[in-house]
Amino acid sequence: MAKLDANSTLKRLRNRYRLVVMNEDTYEEVVKFKLSRLSVYIFLSTLFVVLVGLIIGLLVFTPLKYYVPGIGDPKQVREFRILKMRTDSMEKALNHKQKYYDDLQKILQGKVPVLDTNKLSLPKVEKSVD
């Protein structure tokens, strides 16, 4: 594979080309441009940067930013966090109550194994008289 020389690449970028827009019926030249690859590249890069800047400016400085997911009024974000914490705590409380009712229902139906409540038989400790 042939290596590209830096000088030849730079020369290709600077070679001049002519872009001519002609009238198809009369073959009259309407507009002609003298371009190089480098000037086209610079023009397209500048156009891209300007368009990105305009779109970012439009989103930052207009109410359109509220339609972007994840961005909203700080007051609304705070309210959403509070609501999320409340719903989480309510869900935990509901789960605890449901477990309590399930256990109570098992006890009333007699499905809970009988617990051994006998005292443990521990060896007696001898008391020493001083």
Side-chain angles (χ1 to χ4, degrees):
M1 189 164 146
K3 290 187 177 182
L4 293 176
D5 187 22
N7 290 334
S8 66
T9 305
L10 190 59
K11 281 185 179 182
R12 275 191 290 142
L13 284 176
R14 290 188 178 174
N15 281 344
R16 307 287 288 178
Y17 299 95
R18 184 184 308 196
L19 176 65
V20 178
V21 178
M22 298 178 71
N23 187 347
E24 188 174 319
D25 295 331
T26 62
Y27 294 111
E28 176 186 358
E29 291 182 1
V30 178
V31 179
K32 62 179 163 180
F33 298 101
K34 290 184 181 178
L35 302 172
S36 66
R37 291 182 184 187
L38 184 62
S39 65
V40 171
Y41 174 73
I42 290 173
F43 172 74
L44 292 177
S45 298
T46 305
L47 182 67
F48 176 75
V49 168
V50 168
L51 286 177
V52 167
L54 285 174
I55 290 171
I56 290 173
L58 187 69
L59 290 175
V60 169
F61 297 116
T62 63
L64 289 176
K65 64 184 164 192
Y66 298 121
Y67 293 107
V68 176
I71 298 176
D73 187 23
K75 183 179 177 184
Q76 288 178 340
V77 172
R78 187 171 40 253
E79 288 176 1
F80 288 147
R81 285 185 184 155
I82 291 170
L83 287 174
K84 186 176 187 299
M85 289 189 316
R86 284 183 184 170
T87 54
D88 286 345
S89 62
M90 288 174 62
E91 186 177 2
K92 285 180 184 177
L94 181 65
N95 287 338
H96 289 300
K97 286 183 181 181
Q98 186 63 42
K99 186 173 180 343
Y100 173 77
Y101 289 133
D102 290 343
D103 292 343
L104 186 62
Q105 190 174 16
K106 284 181 186 177
I107 291 171
L108 292 176
Q109 291 175 352
K111 294 183 179 178
V112 176
V114 178
L115 299 175
D116 185 18
T117 58
N118 293 334
K119 290 185 179 179
L120 296 174
S121 58
L122 299 173
K124 293 184 180 183
V125 178
E126 294 182 19
K127 295 182 182 179
S128 63
V129 179
D130 291 329

